């Protein structure tokens, strides 16, 4: 896509539409991160780390007030740890 302003507007519009989904802002952020990282091992590693941190943060904030802090932290850490095997599968299969 050549027109940068249109591209930014399109991304913003599609991101706004994702607010109504169960993944809210994470799905488009993950998509943009991995599109940015294509072709670079260093950027792909950074995208996985950032994705894990964002997912852990979302999981932790979702449990505030519902779970004790220790349980909530353990839950968030488990959510983050689940992303790491995907990093290895990406490296092996793609």
């Amino acid at each position: 896509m050549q027109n940068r302003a249109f591209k930014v507007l399109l991304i913003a519009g599609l991101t706004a539409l994702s607010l109504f989904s169960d993944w809210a802002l994470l799905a488009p952020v993950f998509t943009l991160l991995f599109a940015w990282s294509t072709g670079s091992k260093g950027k792909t590693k950074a995208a996985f780390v950032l994705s894990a941190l964002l997912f852990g943060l979302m999981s932790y904030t979702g449990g505030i007030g519902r779970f004790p802090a220790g349980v909530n932290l353990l839950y968030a850490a488990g959510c983050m740890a689940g992303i790491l095997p995907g990093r290895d599968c990406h490296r092996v299969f793609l």
Side-chain angles (χ1 to χ4, degrees):
M1 193 174 296
Q2 299 297 332
N3 188 340
R4 185 167 175 81
F6 180 71
K7 184 177 178 179
V8 169
L9 186 62
L10 186 62
I11 289 171
L14 292 172
T15 300
L17 285 175
S18 78
L19 292 173
F20 300 103
S21 75
D22 58 341
W23 276 75
L25 289 175
L26 286 184
V29 168
F30 289 170
T31 301
L32 291 171
L33 271 173
F34 287 104
W36 164 76
S37 71
T38 300
S40 169
K41 289 184 180 184
K43 286 182 178 181
T44 301
K45 185 177 181 177
F48 269 102
V49 169
L50 190 55
S51 296
L53 291 173
L54 288 172
F55 190 61
L57 180 65
M58 183 197 76
S59 300
Y60 183 80
T61 58
I64 293 175
R66 292 191 302 161
F67 305 116
V71 171
N72 198 19
L73 193 57
L74 185 63
Y75 173 71
C79 290
M80 291 169 45
I83 292 176
L84 295 178
R87 174 187 55 101
D88 295 332
C89 290
H90 181 271
R91 184 175 39 214
V92 170
F93 295 110
L94 298 179

